[in-house]
Amino acid sequence: MDKNNLEYIVFGGGCFWCVESCFNMLKGVHEAVSGYSGGTVENPTYEAVCTGETGHAEVVQIAYDPKIISYEQLMEVFFFLHDPTQLNRQGNDIGTQYRSVIFYNDETEKKKAEDAVKKSEASGKWAGKYVTEITKLEKFWPAETYHQGYYSANPNTPYCSAVVGPKIQKFRKYFGEKGWLEE
């Protein structure tokens, strides 16, 4: 993979442990990094973000090669991994830090994000109106080191085995059949 031609996208779809794990399995993704964005606090910490008072969402920054995987394919994965009709929550994870959000860098990306939301909403995969925010990226803050690759390092913790593991199995089956996963 040519690291000089990588593009970046940042979005949030609930707990970043699952989102990061899944995107790191895709062909064309160089790296998925858990972090925070969208808030007003400089250098946010997990503990602060969990209070819901920082304005930050748990997000993942994806570094990808657009010659291998497209923005549209990444959006398909994004909408597969979370329910974009749930306002400020995903399952039992409740709060603005778990909101559905796509951060864009420029007007071209904003238009692509708007188109992706419309296309996914029109597909009928999720019943209801999408609440996914489309917001200008101001700053991405990487999460603490222990959050990077969290599921891989901790698959047997109660949250990972009950929530993240089943979602990853469903992801592997669906996108494995499409041939999108690294061997």
Side-chain angles (χ1 to χ4, degrees):
M1 188 175 313
D2 185 356
K3 293 180 185 177
N4 294 322
N5 293 323
L6 295 179
E7 293 185 15
Y8 296 82
I9 183 171
V10 175
F11 42 64
C15 175
F16 49 31
W17 296 339
C18 174
V19 177
E20 175 215 307
S21 294
C22 290
F23 277 95
N24 272 322
M25 292 182 219
L26 292 169
K27 291 178 186 175
V29 170
H30 171 67
E31 182 178 39
V33 177
S34 292
Y36 316 106
S37 196
T40 56
V41 174
E42 297 280 316
N43 300 304
T45 64
Y46 182 70
E47 289 75 22
V49 171
C50 284
T51 68
E53 297 175 9
T54 66
H56 287 291
E58 288 192 16
V59 298
V60 176
Q61 180 186 62
I62 313 293
Y64 69 100
D65 185 338
K67 293 178 183 165
I68 300 172
I69 190 165
S70 70
Y71 182 93
E72 292 75 18
Q73 287 172 302
L74 294 172
M75 287 291 103
E76 182 177 341
V77 173
F78 172 67
F79 289 117
F80 180 88
L81 290 175
H82 81 291
D83 182 345
T85 68
Q86 291 188 340
L87 183 62
N88 298 329
R89 73 177 295 160
Q90 286 300 304
N92 291 330
D93 294 329
I94 300 170
T96 57
Q97 67 270 30
Y98 300 113
R99 67 189 179 269
S100 177
V101 58
I102 302 168
F103 291 94
Y104 64 88
N105 292 301
D106 56 34
E107 290 303 310
T108 301
E109 277 188 14
K110 180 181 181 183
K111 174 77 169 107
K112 283 181 175 181
E114 291 168 344
D115 290 346
V117 168
K118 287 177 190 169
K119 179 180 178 183
S120 183
E121 193 169 34
S123 76
K125 177 183 181 341
W126 298 102
K129 178 86 174 126
Y130 280 32
V131 295
T132 303
E133 294 177 15
I134 300 173
T135 304
K136 174 88 168 124
L137 178 66
E138 299 297 328
K139 175 87 174 157
F140 169 78
W141 304 92
E144 296 82 351
T145 303
Y146 72 92
H147 287 295
Q148 309 307 329
Y150 188 87
Y151 175 76
S152 295
N154 302 281
N156 297 318
T157 62
Y159 183 87
C160 287
S161 61
V163 177
V164 182
K167 193 178 278 194
I168 288 175
Q169 288 176 338
K170 183 177 160 187
F171 168 83
R172 280 188 176 136
K173 181 177 182 344
Y174 184 81
F175 289 100
E177 289 173 359
K178 288 182 144 219
W180 291 15
L181 302 183
E182 288 288 342
E183 301 293 317

